[in-house]
Amino acid sequence: MGRYGVEGGHPLQGSVKVSGSKNASLALIAAATMAPGVTVLEGIPAIRDVEVMLAITRALGGEAQWVGAGRLSLRIPTGLNTTVPFAEGRQIRASSLFLGALVAAQGRAEVPLPGGCDLGPRPVDLHLKGLAALGAQVEVEHGLIKARAKSLEGARIYLDFPSVGATENLMMAACQARGQTVIENAAREPEVVDLANFLNAMGAHIRGAGTDVIKIDGPTVWRPATYSVIPDRIEAGTFLIMGAVCGGPLRVVNVISTHLQPVIAKLREAGATVEEGEGLLEVYREGPLAPVHVKTMPYPGFPTDLQSPMLVLLSQARGTSIVVETVFDNRFQVVQELQRMGANIRVEGSAAVVVGSTPLCGAEVQIPDLRAGAALTIAALLARGETILDRTGCLERGYENWWDKLTRLGARLRPLPE
Ligand code: UD1
């Protein structure tokens, strides 16, 4: 699972280029399987989660190959297999996105109940209820989701929670439904908008993505497309937090700054300077960090995926900060590891109380999940002495060239034997 040693306390400065969005790329790959022919996706990060989606695409009968840096060619035949293999499907949560794509385009799908980071229970009930509303017959048995539909019919679907995955799955399925589908209380994340833009480029008729009401008129006559994915706002936010806590100046290139407003606002409130340029952000800090309160929310709220890195920043602020997690039930596993490094954080239900500032010291820590991995790396860069990061494979699931990017910014690190 990988181990790295990180020697903390060295200044981190320079420029870093953000990769294409992991979460958008995963959805685009699933969506691409609906259009027979050759689709080309650009800016796709070479990370393990993408490789898993490609392995699934190949198992379904598609051809997938890299044809340049970040350029992915997907050749989709008419008529795909409809079973997502268990070994790949259970590894990542995004494998559930094949459900909507396969039911829509092939009329049936068999997908293992998805895995992914352990952030507490991650049900797919909203995905399944929505598919049933579109006319699919859906059942779950022996750890498999089975869905069938001779034809899908447009419907009005209200999501109890603006789930990103459910919105994406249902948007894909609805493209093939006859008539209009309206998804209410839809997720507004930029990755949902990116998927809608891609589906429209492939012939779909989707309006309203980015608001909480999405309207889809079907059925779609598919055509393959060439499409560039948006930059990864979570990776960008991670580097901004890193720059703010380490001092910078750090220039983060290839960003859409509107996607990062909730993060920029909190960093400024905490005392960092964030300057916006054309497609880039620069962060630095001269004075001490101030405590701030953070509540994770669906977009455009503060992203849950940046909650763990934010805990590290707040551990260096002078005073007490409260971080409330409202999206996932179990997203404070990183706290135990941060405590090992000297952070004063206590978890009370869905809130973490962070008392700063406490100096961090190197320790051996185990990475519990992807975003916690980013947080622990930042903590290691700040800490006195060497930190051993265990289970770094977790990080490589979602951050492209993570160690190279850090080394270029001045980090001192080394891979360790397992
Ligand atoms: C996506 C992102 C993930 C991010 C999350 C929230 C991908 C591949 N992953 O995950 O990085 O942290 O959005 O921004 O895009 N829920 C239900 N029933 C459902 C579906 C979800 O109760 O059917 C709950 C989940 O348990 C969770 C909350 O809704 O508590 C949010 O989940 P969701 O928005 O669906 O996240 P994902 O799409 O899994």
Side-chain angles (χ1 to χ4, degrees), residues 23 93 121-127 161 163-165 304-305 327-328:
N23 288 346
R93 174 131 178 122
R122 293 180 78 175
V124 283
D125 55 316
L126 301 173
H127 304 232
F161 184 89
S163 153
V164 174
T304 173
D305 284 349
V327 180
F328 287 108

Side-chain angles (χ1 to χ4, degrees), residues 20 69 88 93 150 160 177 233 335 339 354 362 370 397 402 415:
E88 283 79 19
R93 174 131 178 122
K150 276 212 176 69
D160 295 340
R233 67 192 166 97
V335 167
Q339 284 166 342
V354 190
L370 172 66
R397 271 191 45 206
W402 180 240

Side-chain angles (χ1 to χ4, degrees), residues 344-358:
N344 181 352
I345 308 175
R346 88 178 172 269
V347 177
E348 290 181 11
S350 61
V353 182
V354 190
V355 182
S357 80
T358 50

Side-chain angles (χ1 to χ4, degrees), residues 71-88:
R71 224 175 132 78
L72 199 55
S73 163
L74 300 165
R75 183 184 293 272
I76 307 300
T78 22
L80 284 178
N81 305 326
T82 54
T83 302
V84 169
F86 183 74
E88 283 79 19

